[in-house]
Coordinates of all heavy atoms in Angstrom, one line a residue:
M247 N 0.8 -1.2 0.0 CA 0.0 0.0 0.0 C 0.9 1.3 0.0 O 1.7 1.5 0.9 CB -0.9 0.0 1.2 CG -1.6 1.3 1.5 SD -3.2 1.2 2.2 CE -4.1 0.1 1.1
N248 N 0.7 2.1 -1.0 CA 1.5 3.3 -1.1 C 0.8 4.5 -0.6 O 1.5 5.5 -0.2 CB 2.0 3.5 -2.6 CG 2.8 2.4 -3.1 OD1 3.7 1.9 -2.3 ND2 2.6 2.0 -4.3
T249 N -0.5 4.5 -0.6 CA -1.2 5.7 -0.1 C -1.6 5.4 1.3 O -2.0 4.3 1.7 CB -2.5 6.0 -1.0 OG1 -3.3 4.8 -1.0 CG2 -2.1 6.4 -2.4
I250 N -1.5 6.5 2.1 CA -1.9 6.4 3.5 C -3.4 6.5 3.7 O -4.0 7.4 3.1 CB -1.2 7.5 4.4 CG1 0.3 7.6 4.1 CG2 -1.6 7.4 5.8 CD1 1.2 7.0 5.1
P251 N -4.1 5.5 4.3 CA -5.5 5.6 4.4 C -6.0 6.7 5.3 O -5.3 7.1 6.2 CB -5.9 4.2 4.9 CG -4.7 3.6 5.5 CD -3.5 4.3 4.9
H252 N -7.3 7.1 5.1 CA -7.9 8.0 6.0 C -9.0 7.3 6.8 O -9.6 6.3 6.4 CB -8.6 9.1 5.2 CG -7.6 10.1 4.6 ND1 -6.7 9.8 3.6 CD2 -7.2 11.4 5.0 CE1 -5.9 10.8 3.3 NE2 -6.2 11.8 4.1
C253 N -9.2 7.8 8.1 CA -10.1 7.1 9.0 C -11.5 7.3 8.3 O -11.9 8.4 7.9 CB -10.1 7.8 10.3 SG -11.3 7.2 11.5
P254 N -12.3 6.2 8.2 CA -13.7 6.3 7.7 C -14.6 7.1 8.5 O -15.6 7.6 8.1 CB -14.1 4.8 7.5 CG -13.3 4.1 8.5 CD -12.0 4.8 8.6
D255 N -14.3 7.2 9.8 CA -15.2 8.0 10.7 C -14.8 9.4 10.8 O -15.6 10.3 10.7 CB -15.2 7.4 12.1 CG -15.7 5.9 12.2 OD1 -16.5 5.6 11.3 OD2 -15.2 5.1 13.0
C256 N -13.5 9.7 11.0 CA -13.0 11.1 11.3 C -12.5 11.8 10.0 O -12.3 13.0 10.0 CB -11.9 11.1 12.3 SG -12.3 10.2 13.8
E257 N -12.2 11.0 9.0 CA -11.6 11.4 7.8 C -10.2 12.0 8.0 O -9.7 12.7 7.1 CB -12.5 12.4 7.0 CG -13.8 11.7 6.5 CD -14.8 12.6 5.9 OE1 -14.5 13.8 5.8 OE2 -15.9 12.1 5.5
K258 N -9.5 11.7 9.1 CA -8.2 12.2 9.4 C -7.2 11.2 8.7 O -7.5 10.0 8.6 CB -7.9 12.1 10.9 CG -8.6 13.2 11.7 CD -7.7 14.3 12.1 CE -8.5 15.3 12.9 NZ -7.7 16.5 13.1
Q259 N -6.0 11.7 8.3 CA -5.0 10.8 7.8 C -4.5 9.9 8.9 O -4.2 10.4 10.0 CB -3.8 11.6 7.1 CG -2.9 10.6 6.4 CD -1.8 11.4 5.6 OE1 -1.0 12.1 6.2 NE2 -1.9 11.3 4.3
M260 N -4.3 8.6 8.6 CA -3.9 7.6 9.7 C -2.4 7.5 9.7 O -1.7 7.9 8.8 CB -4.6 6.3 9.4 CG -6.1 6.4 9.4 SD -6.9 4.8 9.0 CE -7.2 4.1 10.6
E261 N -1.9 7.1 10.9 CA -0.5 6.9 11.1 C -0.1 5.5 10.8 O -0.8 4.6 11.3 CB -0.1 7.2 12.6 CG -0.4 8.5 13.1 CD -0.1 8.6 14.6 OE1 -0.7 7.8 15.4 OE2 0.7 9.4 15.0
K262 N 1.0 5.3 10.1 CA 1.5 3.9 9.8 C 2.2 3.4 11.0 O 2.9 4.1 11.7 CB 2.5 4.0 8.6 CG 2.8 2.6 8.1 CD 3.8 2.8 6.9 CE 4.0 1.4 6.2 NZ 5.0 1.5 5.1
G263 N 2.0 2.1 11.2 CA 2.7 1.4 12.3 C 2.6 -0.1 12.2 O 2.3 -0.6 11.1
F264 N 3.0 -0.8 13.2 CA 2.9 -2.3 13.2 C 2.5 -2.7 14.7 O 2.6 -1.9 15.6 CB 4.1 -3.0 12.7 CG 5.3 -2.8 13.6 CD1 5.7 -3.8 14.5 CD2 6.1 -1.7 13.6 CE1 6.8 -3.7 15.3 CE2 7.2 -1.5 14.4 CZ 7.5 -2.5 15.3
I265 N 2.1 -4.0 14.8 CA 1.7 -4.5 16.1 C 2.8 -5.5 16.6 O 3.0 -6.6 16.0 CB 0.4 -5.2 16.1 CG1 -0.7 -4.1 15.7 CG2 0.0 -5.8 17.4 CD1 -2.1 -4.7 15.3
P266 N 3.6 -5.1 17.6 CA 4.7 -6.0 18.0 C 4.1 -7.2 18.7 O 3.1 -7.1 19.5 CB 5.5 -5.1 19.0 CG 5.1 -3.7 18.8 CD 3.7 -3.8 18.3
D267 N 4.7 -8.3 18.5 CA 4.3 -9.6 19.1 C 5.5 -9.9 20.0 O 6.6 -10.3 19.6 CB 4.3 -10.6 17.9 CG 3.4 -11.8 18.3 OD1 2.9 -11.9 19.4 OD2 3.3 -12.7 17.4
T268 N 5.2 -9.7 21.3 CA 6.3 -9.9 22.3 C 6.5 -11.3 22.7 O 5.6 -12.1 22.9 CB 5.9 -9.1 23.6 OG1 5.6 -7.7 23.2 CG2 7.1 -9.0 24.5
T269 N 7.8 -11.7 22.6 CA 8.2 -13.1 22.9 C 9.2 -13.0 24.0 O 9.7 -12.0 24.4 CB 8.8 -13.8 21.7 OG1 10.1 -13.3 21.5 CG2 7.9 -13.7 20.5
L270 N 9.7 -14.2 24.5 CA 10.7 -14.3 25.5 C 12.0 -13.7 25.0 O 12.9 -13.2 25.7 CB 11.0 -15.7 25.9 CG 9.9 -16.5 26.6 CD1 10.3 -17.9 26.8 CD2 9.7 -15.8 28.0
L271 N 12.2 -13.7 23.7 CA 13.5 -13.3 23.1 C 13.5 -11.8 22.6 O 14.4 -11.4 22.0 CB 13.8 -14.2 21.9 CG 13.9 -15.7 22.3 CD1 14.1 -16.6 21.0 CD2 15.0 -16.0 23.2
G272 N 12.3 -11.2 22.7 CA 12.2 -9.8 22.2 C 10.9 -9.6 21.5 O 10.0 -10.5 21.7
A273 N 10.8 -8.6 20.6 CA 9.5 -8.4 19.9 C 9.7 -8.7 18.4 O 10.7 -8.4 17.9 CB 9.1 -6.9 20.1
L274 N 8.6 -9.2 17.9 CA 8.6 -9.5 16.4 C 7.4 -8.7 15.8 O 6.5 -8.3 16.5 CB 8.3 -11.0 16.2 CG 9.3 -12.0 16.8 CD1 8.8 -13.4 16.8 CD2 10.6 -11.9 16.0
Q275 N 7.5 -8.6 14.5 CA 6.4 -8.0 13.8 C 5.3 -9.0 13.7 O 5.6 -10.2 13.2 CB 6.8 -7.5 12.4 CG 5.7 -6.8 11.6 CD 6.2 -6.3 10.3 OE1 7.3 -6.5 9.9 NE2 5.3 -5.6 9.6
A276 N 4.1 -8.7 14.1 CA 3.0 -9.7 14.0 C 2.7 -10.1 12.5 O 2.9 -9.3 11.6 CB 1.7 -9.1 14.6
T277 N 2.3 -11.3 12.3 CA 2.0 -11.8 11.0 C 0.6 -12.4 10.9 O 0.0 -12.7 11.9 CB 3.0 -12.9 10.5 OG1 2.9 -14.0 11.4 CG2 4.4 -12.4 10.4
W278 N 0.1 -12.4 9.7 CA -1.2 -13.1 9.4 C -1.0 -14.5 8.9 O 0.0 -14.7 8.1 CB -2.0 -12.2 8.4 CG -3.3 -12.8 8.0 CD1 -4.5 -12.5 8.6 CD2 -3.6 -13.6 6.9 NE1 -5.5 -13.2 8.0 CE2 -5.0 -13.9 6.9 CE3 -2.8 -14.2 5.9 CZ2 -5.6 -14.7 6.0 CZ3 -3.4 -15.0 5.0 CH2 -4.8 -15.3 5.0
H279 N -1.8 -15.4 9.2 CA -1.7 -16.8 8.8 C -3.0 -17.3 8.3 O -4.0 -17.1 9.0 CB -1.1 -17.7 9.9 CG -0.6 -19.0 9.4 ND1 -1.5 -20.0 9.1 CD2 0.6 -19.5 9.3 CE1 -0.7 -21.1 8.7 NE2 0.6 -20.8 8.8
P280 N -3.1 -18.0 7.2 CA -4.4 -18.6 6.8 C -4.8 -19.8 7.6 O -4.0 -20.4 8.2 CB -4.2 -18.9 5.3 CG -2.7 -19.2 5.2 CD -2.1 -18.3 6.2
D281 N -6.1 -20.2 7.5 CA -6.6 -21.4 8.2 C -6.9 -21.2 9.7 O -6.6 -20.1 10.2 CB -5.7 -22.6 8.0 CG -5.5 -22.9 6.5 OD1 -6.5 -22.7 5.7 OD2 -4.4 -23.5 6.2
D282 N -7.4 -22.2 10.3 CA -7.7 -22.2 11.8 C -6.4 -22.4 12.5 O -5.5 -23.2 12.0 CB -8.7 -23.3 12.1 CG -10.1 -22.9 11.7 OD1 -10.5 -21.8 11.7 OD2 -10.8 -23.9 11.2
P283 N -6.2 -21.8 13.7 CA -5.0 -22.1 14.5 C -5.0 -23.5 15.0 O -6.0 -24.1 15.4 CB -5.0 -21.1 15.6 CG -6.4 -20.7 15.7 CD -7.1 -20.9 14.3
E284 N -3.8 -24.2 14.9 CA -3.7 -25.6 15.3 C -2.6 -25.6 16.4 O -1.5 -25.0 16.2 CB -3.3 -26.4 14.1 CG -3.4 -27.9 14.3 CD -2.9 -28.6 13.0 OE1 -3.3 -28.2 11.9 OE2 -2.1 -29.5 13.1
N285 N -2.9 -26.3 17.5 CA -1.9 -26.3 18.6 C -0.6 -27.0 18.1 O -0.6 -28.0 17.4 CB -2.5 -27.2 19.7 CG -1.7 -27.0 21.0 OD1 -0.6 -27.5 21.1 ND2 -2.2 -26.2 21.9
A286 N 0.6 -26.4 18.5 CA 1.9 -26.9 18.0 C 2.3 -28.2 18.7 O 3.3 -28.7 18.4 CB 2.9 -25.8 18.2
G287 N 1.5 -28.6 19.7 CA 1.8 -29.9 20.3 C 2.9 -29.9 21.4 O 3.5 -30.9 21.8
G288 N 3.1 -28.7 22.0 CA 4.0 -28.6 23.2 C 5.4 -28.8 23.0 O 6.1 -29.5 23.7
T289 N 6.0 -28.2 21.9 CA 7.4 -28.2 21.7 C 7.9 -26.7 21.7 O 7.2 -25.9 21.2 CB 7.9 -28.9 20.5 OG1 7.3 -28.3 19.3 CG2 7.5 -30.4 20.5
F290 N 9.1 -26.5 22.2 CA 9.7 -25.2 22.2 C 11.1 -25.4 21.8 O 11.9 -26.0 22.5 CB 9.6 -24.5 23.6 CG 10.0 -23.1 23.6 CD1 9.3 -22.1 23.0 CD2 11.2 -22.8 24.2 CE1 9.7 -20.8 23.0 CE2 11.6 -21.4 24.3 CZ 10.9 -20.4 23.7
F291 N 11.5 -24.9 20.6 CA 12.8 -25.2 20.0 C 13.2 -26.7 20.0 O 14.3 -27.1 20.3 CB 13.9 -24.4 20.7 CG 13.8 -22.9 20.5 CD1 13.4 -22.1 21.5 CD2 14.1 -22.3 19.3 CE1 13.3 -20.7 21.3 CE2 14.0 -21.0 19.0 CZ 13.6 -20.1 20.1
G292 N 12.1 -27.5 19.7 CA 12.4 -28.9 19.6 C 12.3 -29.7 21.0 O 12.3 -30.9 21.0
F293 N 12.2 -28.9 22.1 CA 12.1 -29.6 23.4 C 10.6 -29.8 23.8 O 9.8 -28.9 23.6 CB 12.8 -28.8 24.5 CG 14.3 -28.7 24.3 CD1 14.8 -27.5 23.7 CD2 15.1 -29.7 24.7 CE1 16.2 -27.4 23.5 CE2 16.5 -29.6 24.5 CZ 17.0 -28.4 23.9
K294 N 10.3 -30.9 24.3 CA 8.9 -31.2 24.8 C 8.6 -30.3 26.0 O 9.5 -30.1 26.9 CB 8.8 -32.6 25.3 CG 8.3 -33.6 24.1 CD 6.8 -33.7 24.1 CE 6.4 -34.6 23.0 NZ 5.3 -34.1 22.2
T295 N 7.4 -29.7 26.0 CA 7.0 -28.8 27.1 C 5.7 -29.3 27.6 O 5.1 -30.2 27.0 CB 6.9 -27.4 26.7 OG1 5.8 -27.3 25.9 CG2 8.1 -26.8 26.1
K296 N 5.2 -28.8 28.7 CA 3.9 -29.1 29.2 C 2.8 -28.2 28.5 O 1.7 -28.1 28.8 CB 3.8 -28.9 30.7 CG 4.6 -30.0 31.4 CD 4.5 -29.8 32.9 CE 5.3 -30.9 33.6 NZ 5.5 -30.7 35.0
N297 N 3.3 -27.6 27.4 CA 2.5 -26.7 26.5 C 1.8 -25.6 27.3 O 0.7 -25.3 27.0 CB 1.5 -27.6 25.7 CG 1.0 -26.8 24.5 OD1 1.8 -26.0 24.0 ND2 -0.2 -27.0 24.1
R298 N 2.5 -25.0 28.2 CA 2.0 -23.8 28.9 C 2.0 -22.6 28.0 O 1.4 -21.7 28.2 CB 2.8 -23.5 30.1 CG 2.6 -24.5 31.3 CD 3.2 -23.9 32.5 NE 3.5 -25.0 33.5 CZ 4.7 -25.4 33.7 NH1 5.8 -24.9 33.1 NH2 4.9 -26.4 34.5
T299 N 2.8 -22.7 26.9 CA 3.0 -21.6 26.0 C 1.8 -21.4 25.0 O 1.7 -20.3 24.5 CB 4.3 -21.8 25.2 OG1 4.2 -23.0 24.5 CG2 5.5 -21.7 26.1
K300 N 1.0 -22.4 24.8 CA -0.1 -22.3 23.9 C 0.3 -21.9 22.5 O -0.4 -21.1 21.9 CB -1.2 -21.3 24.5 CG -1.6 -21.6 25.9 CD -2.6 -22.8 25.9 CE -3.2 -22.9 27.3 NZ -3.4 -24.2 27.8
T301 N 1.4 -22.4 22.1 CA 1.9 -22.0 20.8 C 1.1 -22.7 19.7 O 0.5 -23.8 19.9 CB 3.4 -22.3 20.6 OG1 3.6 -23.7 20.9 CG2 4.3 -21.5 21.5
V302 N 1.0 -22.1 18.5 CA 0.3 -22.6 17.4 C 1.3 -22.9 16.3 O 2.3 -22.3 16.1 CB -0.8 -21.7 16.9 CG1 -1.9 -21.6 17.9 CG2 -0.3 -20.4 16.5
R303 N 0.9 -24.0 15.5 CA 1.8 -24.4 14.4 C 1.6 -23.4 13.3 O 0.5 -23.0 12.9 CB 1.2 -25.8 13.9 CG 2.2 -26.5 13.0 CD 1.5 -27.8 12.5 NE 1.0 -28.6 13.6 CZ 1.7 -29.5 14.4 NH1 3.0 -29.7 14.1 NH2 1.1 -30.2 15.3
I304 N 2.8 -23.0 12.7 CA 2.7 -22.1 11.5 C 3.6 -22.6 10.4 O 4.6 -23.3 10.6 CB 3.2 -20.6 11.9 CG1 4.6 -20.5 12.3 CG2 2.2 -20.0 12.9 CD1 5.2 -19.2 12.2
E305 N 3.2 -22.2 9.2 CA 4.0 -22.5 8.0 C 4.6 -21.1 7.6 O 3.8 -20.3 7.1 CB 3.2 -23.1 6.9 CG 2.9 -24.5 7.0 CD 2.0 -25.0 5.9 OE1 2.4 -24.9 4.7 OE2 0.8 -25.4 6.2
E306 N 5.9 -20.9 7.9 CA 6.5 -19.6 7.7 C 6.2 -19.0 6.3 O 5.9 -17.8 6.1 CB 8.0 -19.8 7.9 CG 8.8 -18.5 8.0 CD 8.6 -17.8 9.3 OE1 8.6 -18.4 10.3 OE2 8.5 -16.5 9.2
S307 N 6.2 -19.9 5.2 CA 6.1 -19.4 3.9 C 4.7 -18.9 3.6 O 4.4 -18.2 2.6 CB 6.4 -20.5 2.9 OG 5.5 -21.6 3.0
R308 N 3.7 -19.2 4.4 CA 2.3 -18.7 4.2 C 2.0 -17.5 5.1 O 0.9 -17.0 5.0 CB 1.3 -19.9 4.6 CG 1.5 -21.1 3.7 CD 0.6 -22.2 4.1 NE -0.7 -21.9 3.6 CZ -1.8 -22.5 4.2 NH1 -1.7 -23.4 5.1 NH2 -3.0 -22.2 3.7
T309 N 2.9 -17.0 5.9 CA 2.6 -15.9 6.7 C 2.8 -14.6 5.9 O 3.6 -14.5 5.0 CB 3.5 -15.8 8.0 OG1 4.9 -15.7 7.6 CG2 3.3 -17.1 8.8
R310 N 2.1 -13.6 6.4 CA 2.3 -12.2 5.8 C 2.4 -11.2 6.9 O 1.6 -11.3 7.9 CB 1.1 -11.9 4.9 CG 1.0 -12.7 3.7 CD -0.3 -12.5 2.9 NE -0.3 -13.4 1.8 CZ 0.0 -13.0 0.6 NH1 0.5 -11.8 0.4 NH2 0.0 -13.8 -0.5
K311 N 3.4 -10.3 6.8 CA 3.6 -9.3 7.8 C 2.4 -8.3 7.8 O 1.9 -7.9 6.8 CB 4.9 -8.6 7.6 CG 6.1 -9.5 7.9 CD 7.4 -8.8 7.7 CE 8.5 -9.8 8.2 NZ 9.8 -9.2 7.9
I312 N 2.0 -7.9 9.0 CA 0.9 -7.0 9.2 C 1.4 -5.6 9.4 O 2.2 -5.3 10.3 CB 0.0 -7.4 10.4 CG1 -0.5 -8.8 10.2 CG2 -1.1 -6.4 10.7 CD1 -1.2 -9.4 11.4
I313 N 0.9 -4.7 8.6 CA 1.0 -3.2 8.7 C -0.3 -2.7 9.3 O -1.3 -3.1 8.8 CB 1.4 -2.6 7.4 CG1 2.7 -3.1 6.8 CG2 1.4 -1.0 7.5 CD1 3.9 -2.6 7.6
S314 N -0.2 -1.9 10.3 CA -1.4 -1.3 10.9 C -1.4 0.2 10.9 O -0.4 0.8 11.2 CB -1.5 -1.9 12.3 OG -2.8 -1.7 12.8
Y315 N -2.5 0.8 10.5 CA -2.6 2.2 10.5 C -3.6 2.6 11.6 O -4.5 2.0 11.9 CB -3.2 2.7 9.2 CG -2.3 2.6 8.0 CD1 -2.2 1.3 7.3 CD2 -1.4 3.6 7.6 CE1 -1.3 1.2 6.3 CE2 -0.5 3.4 6.6 CZ -0.5 2.2 5.9 OH 0.4 2.0 4.9
R316 N -3.2 3.7 12.3 CA -4.0 4.2 13.5 C -4.5 5.6 13.2 O -3.7 6.5 12.8 CB -3.1 4.1 14.7 CG -3.8 4.6 16.0 CD -2.8 4.7 17.1 NE -3.4 5.3 18.3 CZ -3.5 6.7 18.4 NH1 -2.9 7.5 17.6 NH2 -4.1 7.2 19.5
C317 N -5.8 5.8 13.6 CA -6.4 7.2 13.5 C -5.9 8.0 14.7 O -6.1 7.5 15.9 CB -7.9 7.1 13.4 SG -8.7 8.7 13.5
P318 N -5.3 9.1 14.5 CA -4.8 9.9 15.7 C -6.0 10.5 16.5 O -5.8 11.0 17.6 CB -3.9 11.0 15.1 CG -4.4 11.1 13.7 CD -4.9 9.8 13.3
E319 N -7.1 10.6 15.9 CA -8.3 11.2 16.5 C -9.1 10.2 17.4 O -9.2 10.4 18.6 CB -9.2 11.7 15.4 CG -10.3 12.7 15.9 CD -9.8 14.0 16.3 OE1 -8.7 14.4 15.9 OE2 -10.5 14.6 17.2
C320 N -9.5 9.1 16.8 CA -10.3 8.1 17.5 C -9.7 6.8 17.9 O -10.2 6.0 18.6 CB -11.6 7.9 16.7 SG -11.4 6.9 15.3
G321 N -8.4 6.6 17.3 CA -7.7 5.4 17.7 C -8.1 4.1 16.8 O -7.5 3.1 17.1
L322 N -9.0 4.3 15.9 CA -9.3 3.2 15.0 C -8.1 2.6 14.3 O -7.2 3.3 13.9 CB -10.3 3.6 13.9 CG -10.8 2.5 12.9 CD1 -11.8 1.7 13.6 CD2 -11.2 3.2 11.7
L323 N -8.0 1.2 14.3 CA -6.9 0.6 13.6 C -7.4 -0.1 12.3 O -8.5 -0.6 12.3 CB -6.3 -0.5 14.5 CG -5.6 -0.1 15.8 CD1 -5.1 -1.3 16.5 CD2 -4.5 0.9 15.5
R324 N -6.6 0.1 11.2 CA -6.9 -0.7 10.0 C -5.6 -1.4 9.7 O -4.6 -0.8 9.5 CB -7.2 0.3 8.8 CG -8.6 0.9 8.9 CD -8.9 1.6 7.6 NE -9.4 0.6 6.6 CZ -9.9 1.0 5.5 NH1 -9.9 2.2 5.1 NH2 -10.4 0.1 4.6
S325 N -5.7 -2.7 9.5 CA -4.5 -3.5 9.3 C -4.6 -4.1 7.9 O -5.6 -4.5 7.4 CB -4.5 -4.6 10.4 OG -4.3 -4.0 11.6
F326 N -3.4 -4.3 7.3 CA -3.2 -4.9 6.0 C -2.1 -5.9 6.1 O -1.1 -5.7 6.8 CB -2.8 -3.8 5.0 CG -3.9 -2.8 4.8 CD1 -3.9 -1.7 5.6 CD2 -4.8 -2.9 3.8 CE1 -4.9 -0.7 5.4 CE2 -5.8 -2.0 3.7 CZ -5.8 -0.9 4.4
A327 N -2.3 -7.1 5.5 CA -1.4 -8.2 5.5 C -1.1 -8.4 4.0 O -1.9 -9.1 3.3 CB -1.9 -9.4 6.2
K328 N 0.0 -7.9 3.5 CA 0.3 -8.0 2.1 C 1.3 -9.1 1.8 O 2.2 -9.3 2.6 CB 0.9 -6.7 1.5 CG -0.2 -5.6 1.5 CD -0.2 -5.0 0.1 CE -1.4 -4.2 -0.2 NZ -1.4 -3.6 -1.5
Ligands
ZN610 ZN1 -10.9 8.2 13.5

């Protein structure tokens, strides 16, 4: 997306940003994934866990990074996964 969207309610120009996904190792850019979430089966870097992490299985090649725009007036978010 090359043009900055405007808020459909306030008609203000929105601010570009992203939604950080915080992990034990730092923050990542959130991604979109097709299909229903499926439990990853309780492994963390290949080690069996009691699955307290509630991680879901992902196929890296099918993910898309999420860009999110925020209205400075009302806070509405519009997200795009290209
Ligand atoms: Zn707004």
Side-chain angles (χ1 to χ4, degrees):
M247 168 151 302
N248 297 320
T249 55
I250 308 256
H252 286 72
C253 178
D255 297 331
C256 312
E257 296 175 359
K258 291 254 181 189
Q259 190 174 64
M260 299 176 93
E261 298 174 304
K262 189 178 186 183
F264 68 99
I265 299 171
D267 200 0
T268 308
T269 73
L270 293 173
L271 305 172
L274 300 167
Q275 184 177 5
T277 58
W278 178 89
H279 194 286
D281 301 328
D282 288 323
E284 192 182 315
N285 195 285
T289 58
F290 186 72
F291 292 107
F293 295 99
K294 270 269 181 226
T295 67
K296 289 179 179 169
N297 202 31
R298 286 193 206 104
T299 57
K300 307 281 189 221
T301 55
V302 293
R303 194 184 308 277
I304 63 159
E305 283 176 59
E306 193 73 43
S307 63
R308 299 177 73 201
T309 61
R310 290 170 183 268
K311 289 183 174 174
I312 299 172
I313 296 290
S314 196
Y315 292 86
R316 178 185 171 275
C317 174
E319 192 71 24
C320 72
L322 178 81
L323 296 178
R324 285 190 85 176
S325 297
F326 298 87
K328 288 233 165 178

